[in-house]
Amino acid sequence: MSMFRGFRWLLLAAVVVLTGCAATGPRYAEVESNFPNLRPGYGRVLVYRLGGAGAAVQPEIKLNEELIGKAQPEGFFFVDRAAGRYTLTSSTEVRTTAELELTEGATVYVQFGISLGLFVGHPRLTIQSPATAVPQLGGLAYTGAVPLVAGQARSRQADAALPSGPAPGRASPPGQVTLDDLSGLLPAR
């Protein structure tokens, strides 16, 4: 009987690892209209992950070696950066990269996926067209750092207060906040 009990626990553990937990938060369809406006010279990188196997594996996503989020199942996040060339990376037992060109006013959609690996799933980063990505986003939960509330429109003044990375032509060291980053938080004169 103890062998049967051990098998049940093993089966339960396998189900938890394979299904994991889906991201929680407001859904894309509820907050998309509240995304902050892009500043001049900036573009947006939106990373999303559909559900599926390997949900317990939630690796970090980095843009030019700066941590920008985690690949949570059924979730998405975005960052705004100055137009230019960027390298998106993620790693488990292997490191995966995707090169992208960010243009002013445009959004680059990157789909995260997991394929089978020896010990841990291998991350996949696939740049998708808006025609492919946008229909997949509707039910995904927002997991990003920029505060978004379903049903509340953002004002242009609130957009200016959001951190959007270094100003075009300036590169802040990863993890450091500059005075330019904080200037948008000051009240208007």
Side-chain angles (χ1 to χ4, degrees):
M1 194 52 91
S2 66
M3 188 166 140
F4 178 70
R5 188 177 300 199
F7 178 73
R8 284 191 337 197
W9 281 110
L10 183 61
L11 183 61
L12 177 62
V15 167
V16 168
V17 167
L18 289 176
T19 58
C21 296
T24 58
R27 301 296 168 192
Y28 179 88
E30 299 169 334
V31 296
E32 187 273 332
S33 63
N34 302 331
F35 284 4
N37 294 322
L38 285 165
R39 298 188 334 200
Y42 280 72
R44 179 166 290 153
V45 178
L46 188 146
V47 180
Y48 68 99
R49 179 177 178 185
L50 303 174
V57 179
Q58 300 180 16
E60 295 176 337
I61 306 292
K62 295 180 178 183
L63 188 66
N64 285 4
E65 297 303 318
E66 173 193 357
L67 176 63
I68 59 169
K70 289 184 85 170
Q72 295 182 27
E74 298 180 24
F76 78 96
F77 63 90
F78 63 87
V79 294
D80 296 343
R81 294 293 184 267
R85 294 196 58 76
Y86 291 89
T87 302
L88 198 64
T89 59
S90 184
S91 59
T92 56
E93 62 187 16
V94 299
R95 180 180 165 107
T96 302
T97 64
E99 300 294 326
L100 55 97
E101 180 73 31
L102 195 57
T103 58
E104 181 178 3
T107 299
V108 174
Y109 297 92
V110 181
Q111 183 177 1
F112 178 90
I114 290 281
S115 62
L116 291 177
L118 184 58
F119 296 106
V120 181
H122 293 181
R124 283 188 332 264
L125 298 167
T126 309
I127 297 174
Q128 299 287 3
S129 70
T132 299
V134 172
Q136 296 175 326
L137 291 169
L140 301 184
Y142 177 65
T143 62
V146 176
L148 294 178
V149 179
Q152 291 185 352
R154 289 195 166 277
S155 69
R156 288 205 177 260
Q157 186 175 14
D159 291 344
L162 294 170
S164 297
R170 290 195 182 158
S172 296
Q176 287 189 354
V177 177
T178 67
L179 290 176
D180 288 338
D181 295 331
L182 298 174
S183 66
L185 299 174
L186 299 172
R189 291 183 194 191

